[in-house]
Amino acid sequence: MMDFLEQPPRFLFFTGKGGVGKTSLACATAVRLADSGRRVLLVSTDPASNVGQVFDTQIGNRLVTIDAVPGLTALEIDPEAAAGAYRERIVGPVRGVLPEDVVRGIEEQLSGACTTEIAAFDEFTGLLTDDALIAGFDHIVFDTAPTGHTIRLLQLPGAWSGFLESNDNGASCLGPLAGLEKQRQQYRAAVAALADPLRTRLVLVARAQASTLREVARTHDELAAIGLQRQYLVINGVLPAAEAAGDALAAAIVAREARALAALPGAVAALPRTQVPLKPFNLVGLPALRALLDDNAGALSTTPAAPANAPGALPALATLVDELATAGHGLVMLMGKGGVGKTTLAAAVAVELARRGLPVHLTTSDPAAHLTETLEGSLQQLTVSRIDPHAETERYRAEVLTTKGKDLDAHGRALLEEDLRSPCTEEIAVFQAFSRIIREAGRKFVVMDTAPTGHTLLLLDATGAYHREMARHMDKSGITHYTTPMMQLQDPAQTRVLIVTLAETTPVLEAARLQDDLRRAGIEPWAWVINNSLAAASPTSPLLMRRAAAEWAQIDAVRNLHAQRLALVPLQAEEPVGIARLQALAAGQRHS
């Protein structure tokens, strides 16, 4: 039973950790509704949207009719274009009015990922509140719902006016939010629509994996706390138990998924739930989308041909660790989409370096990471830490109120306190902790498991803003020799960035976009790691064999188009938890 499709309201939002299948489910839902005679608008707010690829249609930032599905129209909101228009709307009227250095300061505050997120929200709130714009549609289906981060921003109650002409504390949400003042009525209406179960259904998408289920539980709690109480749960890609017969790998996956689902937290377990079985085919094209929800997969059973070059042509993770170890120290950062296994791979790299007698500090900036649970043990040369966003934020707030706030009057202090309650404050505080830790990389290895891509980009924004501010101060002072965290990240002799992905379309697209963002920041990724590969695991289950063969298109895309160095890590029969299994993962043999 597809509970989330029963008596659907006008607005449906699909949200969840990266790589869980939000786009596929949103597209399949839109097709199902259109096939039933409804007029449907499908909207993607994902920067790495592949909705156009799914329908084999060029879409972009405009309404496009999907000819093959009568009644279906699609729109891909371009966050970068939205951010550009948003910046110009704010900055344009003050050019030539305010001093040039003030205008540059405003542009600087509006250059980060926070502005991009807010601008994208600005775009699609019109789809929630502009009756004239959506009058022709019975349903609006959103791929990637608004984040709790953005909604919390919009609920901050203060009256912001004018522009923040200086900001010595780091990046702030109030710069981007200054442009929202005239539209606060629209935003209040949008948030109200999101919280109204008669108008909006929020669908949480997860996989039957402990990490994604923990993430969906956090998302549930955060959104419920801001009024989005009525939620549905979809567990996507569950391996059918029948596939376990005669295949040890498939049997281990079936057992692992059953354990994860049995351990669902109570609040999430109580939600209306739908389980969608794993399909043997890529979810591209209308037949695949219709089969996703109808389970009509018979016509899609053709197995893709595996290429002549087997996985043995690709190095294992051990090859990258060998090369990393030669430097003796440095910063190793694992980046990528949520759900690709960064925490496990960071732990495996750190364990293997420590096993070789090298001093290693393993840390994470991901609030959802559980490094100690992954390690389940200790090594003599290995220290482990976690950048606790809550603790770092409280420390940062206290510091700012003690310094910047000590001479303010009551009104000024109240505005400063409100600024410090915004979610971006957490990003600044995490950046400061990050800066402290990476200084250790001059004498030991620092292996960092970063937060999912969007949060990582916010961290890089803060790093870049700090670098530019420091450079201006140093230039004015005549100081020519200095090092900022950004300079360390840009130095390939000090920092190695490993981009982690899966051999699937959406994770590879997002990883490629992350690589482009890093290059624009002057950071050249050192290597790519394709994790949890079925092609490298040699399954015998018919369904898994077909999925393994389908991976090769993405493996070849990474190898030929994106990566300077590449490692292929097979899907493990047992979860790589504990020192021994992490060592085995890092030293994994090549598969032929």
Side-chain angles (χ1 to χ4, degrees):
M1 293 293 295
M2 300 291 173
D3 285 345
F4 69 99
L5 286 175
E6 291 297 315
Q7 297 181 327
R10 193 175 194 193
F11 303 112
L12 294 100
F13 283 88
F14 289 81
T15 189
K17 192 167 181 171
V20 296
K22 296 186 301 294
T23 297
S24 299
L25 282 166
C27 291
T29 297
V31 169
R32 167 74 72 91
L33 292 171
D35 285 347
S36 70
R38 311 290 179 84
R39 297 163 301 169
V40 182
L41 175 60
L42 172 64
V43 182
S44 174
T45 63
D46 189 340
S49 173
N50 62 336
V51 169
Q53 182 181 27
V54 168
F55 288 107
D56 194 24
T57 301
Q58 186 84 19
I59 298 176
N61 199 24
R62 69 198 194 286
L63 295 176
V64 172
T65 299
I66 306 299
D67 294 332
V69 186
L72 179 59
T73 302
L75 166 68
E76 291 177 327
I77 292 175
D78 182 343
E80 294 298 332
Y86 184 78
R87 280 191 294 271
E88 186 57 31
R89 194 161 68 240
I90 296 172
V91 178
V94 300
R95 283 200 184 95
V97 177
L98 295 178
E100 188 175 335
D101 60 335
V102 173
V103 174
R104 279 199 304 270
I106 296 168
E107 290 175 329
E108 175 72 27
Q109 290 187 60
L110 298 174
S111 65
C114 192
T115 298
T116 303
E117 186 175 352
I118 291 169
F121 190 90
D122 185 41
E123 289 274 314
F124 75 72
T125 49
L127 298 170
L128 289 168
T129 58
D130 188 337
D131 291 334
L133 183 63
I134 60 175
F137 300 103
D138 300 307
H139 297 285
I140 320 292
V141 178
F142 289 87
D143 168 29
T144 301
T147 67
H149 175 284
T150 301
I151 295 173
R152 288 200 310 278
L153 283 175
L154 298 171
Q155 290 183 324
L156 288 172
W160 305 301
S161 59
F163 297 96
L164 303 180
E165 296 185 4
S166 64
N167 178 18
D168 297 330
N169 304 322
S172 168
C173 289
L174 295 193
L177 282 168
L180 300 184
E181 185 62 31
K182 294 179 181 178
Q183 295 164 267
R184 288 185 67 81
Q185 184 69 27
Q186 175 178 318
Y187 288 105
R188 277 193 291 269
V191 172
L194 289 171
D196 182 355
L198 297 178
R199 288 185 284 172
T200 300
R201 181 167 296 171
L202 185 64
V203 182
L204 305 177
V205 185
R207 290 287 180 96
Q209 301 164 349
S211 61
T212 62
L213 292 174
R214 283 194 299 266
E215 179 77 11
V216 92
R218 276 185 295 273
T219 301
H220 163 74
D221 293 344
E222 181 177 58
L223 295 176
I226 55 178
L228 280 69
Q229 300 275 355
R230 190 71 169 115
Q231 302 172 17
Y232 286 69
L233 177 64
V234 175
I235 308 295
N236 191 32
V238 179
L239 184 62
E243 295 293 322
D247 185 343
L249 176 62
I253 293 171
V254 168
R256 190 161 66 202
E257 291 184 340
R259 288 194 299 271
L261 291 173
L264 262 177
V268 178
L271 296 177
R273 187 198 311 180
T274 299
Q275 289 189 195
V276 178
L278 184 69
K279 304 297 182 182
F281 46 83
N282 282 325
L283 288 162
V284 176
L286 282 175
L289 290 176
R290 289 186 170 117
L292 175 61
L293 299 181
D294 291 340
D295 203 25
N296 180 25
L300 300 165
S301 59
T302 303
T303 302
N309 48 346
L314 296 176
L317 185 61
T319 305
L320 298 184
V321 177
D322 289 341
E323 194 170 347
L324 286 171
T326 59
H329 64 86
L331 176 63
V332 180
M333 299 184 73
L334 286 92
M335 297 185 181
K337 191 177 175 73
V340 297
K342 295 185 301 297
T343 300
T344 298
L345 291 178
V349 169
V351 162
E352 179 59 19
L353 289 170
R355 187 191 66 81
R356 300 180 186 199
L358 297 163
V360 182
H361 179 178
L362 172 63
T363 188
T364 181
S365 64
D366 184 352
H370 297 269
L371 283 176
T372 54
E373 294 175 14
T374 301
L375 288 168
E376 281 191 350
S378 60
L379 284 174
Q380 188 173 1
Q381 294 283 3
L382 179 64
T383 58
V384 181
S385 73
R386 172 176 173 262
I387 297 175
D388 183 335
H390 177 73
E392 296 298 336
T393 301
E394 290 306 309
R395 180 188 306 171
Y396 175 77
R397 283 175 178 149
E399 177 188 332
V400 173
L401 288 171
T402 300
T403 55
K404 300 293 293 183
K406 65 182 175 63
D407 296 325
L408 294 176
D409 60 19
H411 178 68
R413 188 176 177 88
L415 285 177
L416 178 60
E417 287 176 345
E418 181 170 3
D419 186 3
L420 293 172
R421 287 197 301 272
S422 77
C424 285
T425 300
E426 181 179 296
E427 305 293 345
I428 304 162
V430 167
F431 162 69
Q432 290 195 344
F434 164 75
S435 300
R436 289 195 301 271
I437 288 173
I438 68 174
R439 284 196 289 268
E440 297 179 22
R443 60 185 186 278
K444 63 171 67 171
F445 278 106
V446 174
V447 179
M448 175 168 280
D449 162 38
T450 64
T453 306
H455 293 286
T456 299
L457 294 178
L458 283 171
L459 182 62
L460 291 176
D461 283 335
T463 309
Y466 175 84
H467 167 78
R468 290 185 289 272
E469 185 66 23
M470 183 173 176
R472 280 195 291 269
H473 284 307
M474 292 300 181
D475 290 344
K476 289 178 181 177
S477 304
I479 299 173
T480 57
H481 296 289
Y482 58 89
T483 302
T484 67
M486 180 58 84
M487 293 166 69
Q488 183 172 345
L489 296 180
Q490 292 171 334
D491 184 352
Q494 297 187 64
T495 300
R496 308 285 177 89
V497 173
L498 278 63
I499 293 180
V500 183
T501 187
L502 304 177
E504 298 173 9
T505 303
T506 301
V508 169
L509 283 172
E510 186 153 329
R513 182 177 179 272
L514 171 61
Q515 177 159 271
D516 291 341
D517 287 331
L518 290 169
R519 285 173 170 167
R520 280 192 289 273
I523 301 168
E524 182 60 34
W526 182 71
W528 283 50
V529 181
I530 298 176
N531 195 27
N532 290 336
S533 170
L534 281 166
S538 304
T540 57
S541 149
L543 188 154
L544 295 185
M545 287 177 67
R546 285 158 62 189
R547 289 193 65 86
E551 286 186 355
W552 275 103
Q554 298 305 319
I555 292 173
D556 283 345
V558 172
R559 177 169 49 182
N560 298 323
L561 301 177
H562 302 306
Q564 297 183 30
R565 295 172 183 81
L566 174 62
L568 188 67
V569 177
L571 180 67
Q572 306 293 301
E574 299 295 334
E575 274 195 283
V577 172
I579 299 292
R581 286 181 183 169
L582 290 169
Q583 286 180 347
L585 181 68
Q589 296 180 349
R590 297 173 179 83
H591 290 251
S592 57

